[in-house]
Structures are given as C-alpha cells and as structure tokens.
Amino acid sequence: HGRVVFYDYDEICYMTECNFRQIPPPRYPEDEWSADPWYSVAPNDIFPEEFATFLLQKPQVREIMLQLHKEMFDANYWKMLQSNIKVGVFEDVYPYRRKKRFKYQRGG
C-alpha cells in the first residue's frame, strides 16, 4: 500500500496487531539482575521503553531524541496511535523537511 506501518528489528506487522506495554516494576530488587524477566512476554508484546537501549547507542543522539521525542518510548503514546487508527485517523510522518523531500507528481 506504499507505506510502512510499523517496523521492528525482526518482524513487520500492523500497529493494531501490537500489544504495547510498560515493563512492570520489579517485585524484588533482585528481579532486575535475573537472566529471565519477572513478567510475562507474549509474541506481540512490545516494550517501547526498550527502544532507546538498542536504537540510541550514541549518548548525544540519545539525549536529543529523549528531549525532542520522549513520547516514542512510552507505551501510552503507541496505544493512542492505535486508537487513532481504529477510528480512521492516520498520522503522516515525514523524516525530512519539505524542501529536502523529493517532489511527488501523481500519474507520472
């Protein structure tokens, strides 16, 4: 359909198929050091707060992203986008300013 709806490092799916979750707080301090999570994880579970860990390796980039787009690391933001999609509201996201984009002409 000419658009990427949601991209994860190992799969592509519709945002409406994702289950965006916050990582629950540890039950005990030792939980954070365990090799296994203290919470259940289903196949479509996505934890946006983990995005920064593998996407923002450079401290300078991390700082800028967290200042400008910290909502991207919050499950509630993604749930709001899902709600919008379900009622027919689709967000347009442009990675470049208008003057940097290719000119698009319909029909040719």
Side-chain angles (χ1 to χ4, degrees):
H1 295 349
R3 61 182 145 165
V4 174
V5 177
F6 183 77
Y7 177 76
D8 191 3
Y9 64 95
D10 62 349
E11 65 183 42
I12 295 176
C13 65
Y14 292 107
M15 279 185 48
T16 52
E17 295 174 354
C18 299
N19 182 31
F20 293 101
R21 295 178 52 197
Q22 295 289 125
I23 295 175
R27 301 164 298 182
Y28 312 103
E30 298 79 21
D31 283 346
E32 293 185 274
W33 300 103
S34 173
D36 298 314
W38 59 89
Y39 49 90
S40 64
V41 180
N44 287 356
D45 284 352
I46 295 175
F47 300 90
E49 62 202 270
E50 292 184 329
F51 292 171
T53 303
F54 58 87
L55 293 176
L56 306 175
Q57 298 286 318
K58 294 182 179 181
Q60 187 177 15
V61 173
R62 176 186 288 258
E63 182 181 330
I64 292 168
M65 276 299 287
L66 292 174
Q67 283 177 8
L68 298 176
H69 300 290
K70 68 179 178 183
E71 72 279 0
M72 292 182 69
F73 308 99
D74 181 0
N76 291 323
Y77 169 75
W78 295 98
K79 289 177 183 181
M80 182 216 34
L81 293 178
Q82 286 178 315
S83 295
N84 289 349
I85 290 168
K86 289 176 183 174
V87 296
V89 176
F90 301 93
E91 306 279 337
D92 285 325
V93 178
Y94 299 101
Y96 305 103
R97 293 184 175 153
R98 186 175 302 278
K99 65 183 178 181
K100 297 267 186 186
R101 291 184 222 151
F102 291 118
K103 301 225 184 294
Y104 175 73
Q105 297 176 348
R106 289 193 181 269

